[in-house]
Amino acid sequence: MVSDAKIGVKTSPRLTLLPLVALIFYEVSGGPFGVEDSVKAGGGPLLSLLGFLIFPLIWSIPEALVTAELATSFPENGGYVIWISSAFGPFWGFQEGFWKWFSGVMDNALYPVLFLDYLKHSFPVFNHVIARIPALLGITVSLTYLNYRGLHIVGFSAVFLAGFSLFPFIVMAVLTAPRIRPRRWLAVDFRKVDWRGYFNSMFWNLNYWDKASTLAGEVENPSKTFPKALLGAVILVVSSYLIPLLAGTGALDSPSVEWSDGYFAEVGMLIGGAWLKWWIQAASAVSNLGLFEAEMSGDAFQLLGMSEMGMLPSLFASRSKYGTPTISILCSATGVIFLSWMSFQEILEFLNFLYAIGMLLEFAAFIKLRIKKPELHRPYKVPLQTFGATMLCLPPAVLLVLVMCLASVRTFLISGSVIILGFFLYPILVHAKERKWAQFSTERPSPAPAIPSNAGVEGHSVASQLPLQDEDHEASMSLLSDISYSKRDIGSSEMSKIGPDTPGIPLVH
């Protein structure tokens, strides 16, 4: 065992339960900002309220359970890229990383749009393109700079931000209590239901539970903390949607057509007056700041992680003097700028399509690993056998396929182009690596020690690159050792012989 002291590693504080709950909350939700469209698309409050009661059962909880099992089996920051590579090989691991990164960039493009949609209720000038485009550009550049400086959600307290974002809605719920008429919750006009918009809104507001897996390597005692944090976050997210919707739709007779993104600010005005409206807008600003910073940080560090694994050129792992991945941040910010001119619903549909494909692959990997590696130590295991685990994944898989089938022709074309691009990128990068057209990492940088040149393996596996931090890591090493990221790596029959005790491949605990 090589101690941190011997390799000069400074141990960073571990994420505990409450901060992890807040971080998952921001990865998934950030508050009820953006759920208003579900009332409009659903032709009234009924379908929206039913959706946020039923969808968590068939979507959020299964995804959270799958994430809990795989994240605790592989408590490393590679997250879902490692899961897919373990089950299906590095080609599909790269595709998963590419789709999730592109989907994340699309998701991040929503937050400046949402911010202005709330602001335009007080400043109508942002309804006009001449003011909206420069504002979107300015917001994106400013928040990107904050991310470059390392000012992200962890740095300035995710717990405080979550509290600040949700507190005005608690006040709003108290103020509306005497005015609520339950019959208003039952209103629905099926002639006005936009099923595509409805399912996309539901799906977007309840996904990204797997994003937390990229933090698994930073969690204290992940086998116990991660499942509890996911459960707490599910309850917090669903409550943050249902309470404001029950309050707003139960107290007001507003037509469903008025419920578009940003409308909660107007609800605050009608219920409490200008002070509540401004408070909700301030909460929206803070929430979108946290969402943007968390998402961009996750996207950028995902590129950095893929670079450290040898999937992308080393350039993507370069860091600024603040320790942030400069090129990866710029790459993500460029995508956000190009997408910000699109409407909320357009961005929503594109990112949902790509995310759905990635999640289908994750569910497949979950089942494949149950079959392929039944002996894998799973600190947290979904209490179902392989057949039951398959049945658990079936309803959310059907929902994913439904969301994809409802997509427009334009979404099929654009998403199809992104998928084809990923298929071409992988062999190009492998060729570039072999021809040495660009520098690729062959070892994971600090805190893991360098792999000795006499290791006897030309292309190092992830097992030889990822540092182990506790006994949970040992459980996953037999599976991690199967992953190879170079076309020239040794064959699978030889790789299967490599394990934690293989001479010449030191592992750090």
Side-chain angles (χ1 to χ4, degrees), residues 255-279:
S256 62
V257 70
E258 293 186 10
W259 283 82
S260 58
D261 52 286
Y263 188 66
F264 267 128
E266 194 62 29
V267 173
M269 178 71 181
L270 295 173
I271 290 173
W275 65 273
L276 187 54
K277 175 182 179 178
W278 282 95
W279 193 3

Side-chain angles (χ1 to χ4, degrees), residues 429-447:
L429 289 169
V430 170
H431 193 66
K433 186 174 184 178
E434 291 179 337
R435 296 284 184 174
K436 299 187 181 204
W437 291 345
Q439 183 179 356
F440 285 77
S441 296
T442 56
E443 60 189 36
R444 191 175 178 90
S446 179

Side-chain angles (χ1 to χ4, degrees), residues 69 73 366-378 381 384-386 475 478-479:
E69 177 170 319
S73 299
F366 172 65
I367 297 168
K368 176 74 177 290
L369 291 175
R370 279 290 189 99
I371 299 171
K372 178 183 176 182
K373 291 286 182 180
E375 75 285 357
L376 175 69
H377 176 58
R378 294 168 169 87
K381 184 176 181 180
L384 297 169
Q385 297 302 316
T386 302
S478 61
L479 187 51

